Amino acid sequence: GENVEQHPSTLSVQEGDSAVIKCTYSDSASNYFPWYKQELGKGPQLIIDIRSNVGEKKDQRIAVTLNKTAKHFSLHITETQPEDSAVYFCAAKGRTGGFKTIFGAGTRLFVKA
Amino acid sequence: DSGVTQTPKHLITATGQRVTLRCSPRSGDLSVYWYQQSLDQGLQFLIQYYNGEERAKGNILERFSAQQFPDLHSELNLSSLELGDSALYFCASSVVGGFDQTQYFGPGTRLLVL
């Protein structure tokens, strides 16, 4: 079945450094890739998404890149701040398989002040 | 605040019991999704409804069922509860039910089965 692998599971960076989280997906029909941030005690919140007809998308300090050939997409956070500390989930979704969203296992990001 | 509300926030019950979780989507959203989040399984998609009709099904157990009512709120029913059903249950909503629709998540219901 469909699968999304996410790495690393834990990431610790110094404030101001960049953080990169990588995901790979198995279903080549996937064509929508959202990223969610989940803070303690809250539900996941969409921070950025990318569709398969786009290779890169940027929103302030956050960017996502997509390589459809390699079935790989990444989240880049620049100039990290302590408030970026949270769990980040990647996900993949497509028409095949009935619109199911498959999530990665999550990356716990620690930003040290 | 995403605009999605879930009740109750916490639920403690015993094995073998049945519970109902409730979700109200954002105003104007027609589609509702249910997810289970546990430490060992991560975020698992359970089921999606669009305007009252089931749209997609994930890893939902036969002991679980859901429905979306005419006012678009949704309920997730969990029966014959087992210890392993202890988890966070999230509801999300989107405007329509297409594959690239942004999903807005509620705060979740934390279920503890003793």
Side-chain angles (χ1 to χ4, degrees), chain B residues 58-75:
Chain B
N59 302 320
I60 187 165
L61 299 172
E62 284 192 12
R63 300 184 285 108
F64 296 1
S65 64
Q67 60 182 128
Q68 186 179 27
F69 294 86
D71 67 352
L72 301 176
H73 91 273
S74 178
E75 293 181 357

Side-chain angles (χ1 to χ4, degrees), chain A residues 31-32 36 38 41-46 49 51 89 93-95 97-105, chain B residues 33 35 37 42-43 45 48 55-58 88 90 97-107 110:
Chain A
N31 47 13
Y32 174 62
Y36 290 88
Q38 186 176 22
K42 296 184 178 179
Q45 178 186 9
L46 180 78
D49 58 12
R51 290 163 178 78
F89 293 95
K93 190 177 183 186
R95 292 189 178 92
F99 296 87
K100 288 182 285 190
T101 302
I102 309 297
F103 282 82
Chain B
Y33 311 75
Y35 292 88
Q37 186 176 39
L43 259 171
F45 168 69
Q48 177 195 359
R55 184 72 182 264
K57 212 164 187 175
L88 266 168
F90 287 105
F99 76 97
D100 61 348
Q101 290 294 304
T102 300
Q103 294 180 36
Y104 297 89
F105 280 76
R110 185 176 294 277

Side-chain angles (χ1 to χ4, degrees), chain A residues 16-88:
Chain A
D17 288 350
S18 295
V20 180
I21 302 170
K22 299 182 178 182
C23 290
T24 57
Y25 59 98
S26 61
D27 184 3
S28 56
S30 297
N31 47 13
Y32 174 62
F33 307 91
W35 284 88
Y36 290 88
K37 175 183 180 182
Q38 186 176 22
E39 295 175 324
L40 196 61
K42 296 184 178 179
Q45 178 186 9
L46 180 78
I47 54 172
I48 195 166
D49 58 12
I50 191 167
R51 290 163 178 78
S52 61
N53 57 348
V54 175
E56 184 173 356
K57 184 176 178 181
K58 191 172 181 181
D59 182 4
Q60 298 181 6
R61 297 186 296 110
I62 295 173
V64 57
T65 58
L66 171 64
N67 182 330
K68 281 211 73 181
T69 304
K71 291 191 282 187
H72 173 271
F73 58 115
S74 300
L75 177 72
H76 304 253
I77 306 174
T78 58
E79 300 170 23
T80 53
Q81 301 166 3
E83 50 265 38
D84 294 330
S85 296
V87 179
Y88 291 81

